[in-house]
Amino acid sequence: MTNPSHVRPHHRAAPLPATGCPVRLEPVRLDSEAVQGSLADLYEPWREEYGPVVPVELDGGVPAFLVIGHRTLREVCSQESLYSPDSRNWADLQAGRVPDDWPLLPQVAYQEGSTRFLSGPEHQRLRGVLASGLTQVEAASARRYTEWVADRLISRFAPKGRTEVVADYAAPLPLLVMLRLLGLPHETGEQLLPAIFRLLEGGPEAHRANEEISDIIGRLVVARRAKPDRDLISWLIHGPVDGGPALSDLEVRNLAWLTVMAGAGGTTGWIGNAIERLVCDEQVHTLFLAGKVTVAEIMNETHWSNPAVQNVMGRYPLREGRLGNYHVPKGALLVLGLAAANADPEVHVDDSGHTFTNESHLAFGAGPHECPTAAQRLAKIVGQTAVERFLARCRTPRLQDADAVQHGGSVIVRQLTRLAVTFGADTQAAVRPTASGTDALGESSRSSHYLFPPRMLTQLTSHLTD
Ligand code: HEM
């Protein structure tokens, strides 16, 4: 196995001939050791020195270009025929120059049938059927279910008056909603959570966890192929597919799993970042308590200042060409710097308060692979409901101690991993009573609460009996 420190880049950044402004040649070291703490201050000096595209060396000396200019990033994202999302075009990977144990490999490793790596008609076929399914999610049902899951989780830690927000709340909540969206009963979703966390941690247990998850999703696919229900898996199998044949079981499994991972990962980060903002930023907290900003506005602001997905790996030029101030070779790795591009002074809506309402941020990406509109709508329902419920029941949350906030992952995939808070529990807000005296969903209906309307089943079964 190659030692990461011995990776030799096959290319070096080549600046274009003088354009009037000096351009630096040496790449920036952007590995976990080189950069600690806040990334916010990094980008501006780079913009001055390098322009909208920065040659970087990632962990293990792996070379890449970080796209930090707003306009350039949109350009790259919108031209699939020039900048492919398929990592099999990455020259360093193809040539075996990236070690098997490179920590960022899971972010780029090609997965068959995942929309992320596809382009053209094949991409449109899979994305289309997924998006048409997500469009049918009933907002009120999704909100009620999220609220119910939120209440169950909060009830576990509320009596203690303290919690670690990421592990106890922000991580399990969206996962449980996404698993229910696929069609798993709530209890099966809860049983699956430890395996999902083992998979995400990697290490020796990950392989067994992966088998456990594949097995459960595989069985769900077989069951729904035989008899559809009101869920996403049934839609992927039996729903109308524009532009190609019906999806195979493998495609359904991969697409379902992509939805769980993309959906839960993004929403977890968003919930955590928004609560962090409220807890750590005295000014925002005061505005919120005074009713001058809403939860929705604070959450929109975090899309600008601290997006859940900071960087996306990646895009791969299919031919050599100019990008920013550099000649970028064919097969280079381009990292989409979403957080950096959001901060580009060219578009950044400074301190005037517009970031609370302006939605032209890049937190959901851009171009043909931008997070589907229906997925963004679901993220908003789940994320906002989760934060609102948390604040209703956990009054004036405060950081527990000096180590209360921690970030993990690499510089590229940077996530909040710990947010330990204390709060005053609001027992009045603990249970949402309904006319029947049960909680918002009714305990007994928890497994069978649907996120999709009854008409979806009619549509799917009539298609079967045609
Ligand atoms: C706040 C929450 C979320 C954030 C920040 C987020 C962010 C993103 C970003 C940045 C991309 C673009 C990746 C690229 O360019 O390669 C993306 C794509 C995607 N997201 Fe989201 N996402 C969120 C929630 C969701 C949810 C709830 C779902 C599903 C229910 C979802 C499903 C997807 C899918 C399927 C793609 C791939 C689209 C394609 O390749 O065509 N996301 N998301």
Side-chain angles (χ1 to χ4, degrees), residues 343-357:
D344 189 338
E346 214 179 78
V347 290
H348 191 51
V349 231
D350 61 37
D351 301 327
S352 53
H354 292 147
T355 44
F356 285 108
T357 50

Side-chain angles (χ1 to χ4, degrees), residues 124-448:
Q124 282 156 21
R125 169 175 159 260
L126 291 182
R127 182 178 163 107
V129 69
L130 173 63
S132 65
L134 291 174
T135 306
Q136 307 214 21
V137 169
E138 266 185 338
S141 298
R143 196 168 298 116
R144 270 203 305 280
Y145 187 68
T146 306
E147 207 167 76
W148 179 78
V149 174
D151 273 333
R152 278 171 63 91
L153 292 171
I154 295 171
S155 293
R156 292 182 190 159
F157 55 74
K160 290 183 258 174
R162 55 170 55 218
T163 186
E164 196 286 274
V165 174
V166 179
D168 295 344
Y169 193 65
L173 186 145
L175 270 174
L176 288 167
V177 180
M178 294 306 140
L179 293 172
R180 182 68 202 118
L181 179 84
L182 294 195
L184 286 175
H186 177 78
E187 291 76 3
T188 314
E190 278 208 310
Q191 284 160 15
L192 208 53
L193 287 193
I196 296 179
F197 292 131
R198 283 204 307 278
L199 178 71
L200 293 176
E201 269 165 27
E205 281 295 304
H207 188 65
R208 267 235 329 262
N210 192 25
E211 282 177 356
E212 204 179 312
I213 297 161
S214 304
D215 187 41
I216 290 186
I217 295 191
R219 273 188 279 145
L220 184 66
V221 173
V222 171
R224 294 302 191 262
R225 195 170 277 286
K227 188 168 181 291
D229 201 347
R230 282 153 63 190
D231 55 42
L232 188 66
I233 294 252
S234 300
W235 183 268
L236 297 179
I237 297 171
H238 302 283
V241 184
D242 288 338
L247 271 55
S248 68
D249 279 2
L250 180 69
E251 285 175 321
V252 171
R253 278 211 312 265
N254 287 347
L255 206 48
W257 189 238
L258 168 72
T259 308
V260 173
M261 286 294 99
T267 315
T268 290
W270 194 27
I271 295 170
N273 291 351
I275 298 180
E276 181 194 1
R277 189 70 203 258
L278 260 157
V279 176
C280 299
D281 189 326
E282 205 55 54
Q283 202 187 350
V284 170
H285 202 163
T286 311
L287 285 174
F288 172 68
L289 290 178
K292 293 197 173 142
V293 289
T294 62
V295 166
E297 287 169 343
I298 293 167
M299 296 193 76
N300 192 64
E301 202 280 336
T302 64
H303 276 328
W304 282 101
S305 61
N306 191 12
V309 180
Q310 300 257 321
N311 298 289
V312 171
M313 302 184 44
R315 297 294 189 269
Y316 311 89
L318 295 176
R319 50 178 191 271
E320 183 177 311
R322 180 187 180 135
L323 195 60
N325 294 318
Y326 296 89
H327 271 303
V328 172
K330 177 181 169 188
L333 163 60
L334 305 182
V335 180
L336 308 176
L338 302 183
N342 262 348
D344 189 338
E346 214 179 78
V347 290
H348 191 51
V349 231
D350 61 37
D351 301 327
S352 53
H354 292 147
T355 44
F356 285 108
T357 50
N358 183 314
E359 292 187 358
S360 63
H361 54 75
L362 288 164
F364 289 111
H369 285 269
E370 176 176 350
C371 191
T373 309
Q376 295 186 30
R377 185 181 65 113
L378 181 61
K380 211 167 182 171
I381 295 169
V382 177
Q384 210 169 300
T385 307
V387 176
E388 280 169 358
R389 208 59 204 128
F390 182 83
L391 295 172
R393 294 192 53 191
C394 308
R395 298 282 172 167
T396 48
R398 296 270 174 244
L399 291 184
Q400 252 176 49
D401 49 46
D403 298 326
V405 182
Q406 280 169 23
H407 291 93
S410 67
V411 171
I412 292 295
V413 192
R414 188 165 176 274
Q415 297 154 331
L416 183 69
T417 51
R418 179 178 156 81
L419 178 63
V421 298
T422 55
F423 54 84
D426 187 330
T427 46
Q428 295 299 310
V431 176
R432 282 283 169 90
T434 61
S436 63
T438 56
D439 64 13
L441 285 182
E443 268 296 301
S444 60
S445 66
R446 65 186 185 273
S447 265
S448 55

